[in-house]
Amino acid sequence: MIVWILFLALIIFFLALDLGVFNKEDHIIKSKEAGIWTAVWVTVALSFSGVIYWLFTEGLIANSTGLTPDSAVLKYITGYLIELSLSIDNVFVIAVIFSTFKIPPIYQHRVLFWGILGAIVFRALMIFFGVALITRFDWIIYVFGVFLLYTAFKMLKGDDHEFDPKNSFVFRQIKKIYPITSQLNGHDFFVKRMGLNAATPLFVALVVIELTDILFALDSIPAILAITADPFIVFTSNIFAILGLRSMYFLISRMLQKFRFINYSLVVILAYVGLKMLFSHQIEIPEWLSLTVIAASLLGGVLASVLIKEKEETEPKNTTEE
């Protein structure tokens, strides 16, 4: 428990440093700043693999699945890359939500910050119950596997991008429960108008992002559980990916059109981990192979997006003979 408490204290320290020091004043996050912070978070997350190795070598963490230090590190990095890659699809949805509710760029970081706090709590609960289910019921891994294959199929068809936040079930329920105003009041989530408290578009966007993140977690948590059922590795890899999501959003949300093939990478990753779950009791797949498949899928999607030019529709030229 001491290791868990220290890790949670580290996360709280990072978040306090983020909002209280580096982003104390609302400002627009530019691509250069977002790129630096993305590199920082990825470096911190990958460096933590050294801590994982040390903890498992010294026996300082419960090792219910009997992992060797080397295997624990590979599983941690693989889980982190899975969560990070699946977060890319989350970026598309966040961009749609901000656009729909007309959230100015200067306030977007604040919304995402509080969204991260909620995501940590909800994902911790989902990981706890997910690990408990796999530990208690072996057959549940087949259910997760089929679900991931179904998600990959839906993503391949493109159904996930037909999303209108203002027509969503969540938005309609918020309107029924609490008054909503279309006017912003700085970075405030609530405002008092004519003696009545009302939620601003910032709060509505926060709630919609929070609940859509839970839906995304239904994909990502089973995907990481396909790699390992060790709760500490699943939790730490997941949380580090979430912490880097904000800077990654500001980095790639402005380049969404350039990564038009990245969805196919996510389809391959989800299909792979789904099949890995379905055949987990029959085939022993080494971790280096999983890591290679995930890295190659992401690299392939990025390279295809950069190298393959979009077909430009050109109108036939009208030629007249005199």
Side-chain angles (χ1 to χ4, degrees):
M1 289 303 298
I2 293 177
V3 174
W4 282 87
I5 292 170
L6 289 175
F7 179 75
L8 291 174
L10 179 67
I11 298 306
I12 293 171
F13 171 74
F14 282 151
L15 291 172
L17 201 63
D18 187 332
L19 192 64
V21 179
F22 296 110
N23 293 285
K24 189 175 182 179
E25 301 294 332
D26 294 323
H27 67 286
I28 297 175
I29 308 294
K30 296 184 178 179
S31 298
K32 182 179 179 181
E33 181 182 353
I36 292 172
W37 276 110
T38 299
V40 168
W41 281 119
V42 171
T43 302
V44 170
L46 294 180
S47 299
F48 193 77
S49 61
V51 177
I52 294 288
Y53 184 87
W54 174 67
L55 290 174
F56 279 82
T57 299
E58 299 297 326
L60 299 175
I61 191 76
N63 188 4
S64 57
T65 54
L67 296 176
T68 63
D70 290 335
S71 180
V73 168
L74 277 176
K75 288 179 182 293
Y76 167 78
I77 295 175
T78 305
Y80 172 71
L81 287 180
I82 286 178
E83 179 59 34
L84 198 65
S85 59
L86 294 180
S87 294
I88 294 174
D89 206 42
N90 207 348
V91 168
F92 286 79
V93 175
I94 292 173
V96 171
I97 293 170
F98 280 151
S99 175
T100 301
F101 294 110
K102 297 180 174 58
I103 307 300
I106 193 172
Y107 301 133
Q108 291 179 3
H109 180 275
R110 180 177 175 83
V111 175
L112 289 177
F113 175 86
W114 292 107
I116 292 300
L117 286 180
I120 290 174
V121 174
F122 284 119
R123 295 207 178 198
L125 292 172
M126 295 178 73
I127 289 169
F128 174 79
F129 287 110
V131 170
L133 283 173
I134 283 184
T135 304
R136 188 173 179 84
F137 306 106
D138 285 345
W139 53 267
I140 203 73
I141 197 168
Y142 298 116
V143 177
F144 286 160
V146 171
F147 178 74
L148 290 178
L149 288 176
Y150 173 70
T151 303
F153 176 70
K154 280 185 63 181
M155 190 177 291
L156 184 62
K157 287 176 61 182
D159 295 346
D160 288 346
H161 297 290
E162 302 298 325
F163 177 65
D164 182 0
K166 284 194 174 180
N167 288 329
S168 66
F169 173 80
V170 175
F171 180 70
R172 293 198 305 270
Q173 297 309 308
I174 295 175
K175 287 181 68 177
K176 291 178 182 178
I177 297 171
Y178 206 86
I180 296 175
T181 176
S182 60
Q183 300 297 317
L184 291 171
N185 187 42
H187 64 208
D188 295 333
F189 289 113
F190 299 94
V191 64
K192 195 165 187 176
R193 294 279 168 84
M194 299 175 64
L196 187 69
N197 289 323
T200 67
L202 290 185
F203 179 75
V204 178
L206 172 62
V207 174
V208 175
I209 287 174
E210 198 71 71
L211 294 179
T212 51
D213 180 76
I214 294 175
L215 295 178
F216 276 105
L218 293 176
D219 300 334
S220 62
I221 300 301
I224 294 182
L225 290 174
I227 303 301
T228 179
D230 184 275
F232 188 73
I233 292 178
V234 174
F235 183 70
T236 52
S237 60
N238 203 281
I239 296 307
F240 273 121
I242 292 174
L243 290 174
L245 177 61
R246 290 161 302 159
S247 55
M248 190 170 71
Y249 166 78
F250 291 109
L251 178 64
I252 71 175
S253 62
R254 302 179 179 101
M255 303 183 293
L256 293 180
Q257 297 302 319
K258 293 183 180 180
F259 294 102
R260 63 192 189 282
F261 289 113
I262 201 70
N263 260 23
Y264 295 105
S265 300
L266 305 184
V267 169
V268 172
I269 292 171
L270 285 173
Y272 171 77
V273 294
L275 291 172
K276 187 177 186 293
M277 279 188 149
L278 290 178
F279 295 101
S280 59
H281 292 154
Q282 289 78 32
I283 303 173
E284 183 72 27
I285 299 178
E287 292 310 319
W288 64 264
L289 180 59
S290 297
L291 194 59
T292 302
V293 170
I294 293 163
S297 300
L298 286 174
L299 183 61
V302 171
L303 289 177
S305 300
V306 173
L307 299 177
I308 300 176
K309 303 297 182 182
E310 289 188 84
K311 293 181 180 179
E312 296 182 0
E313 295 184 0
T314 57
E315 295 182 0
K317 295 180 180 179
N318 294 322
T319 57
T320 58
E321 295 181 4
E322 296 183 357

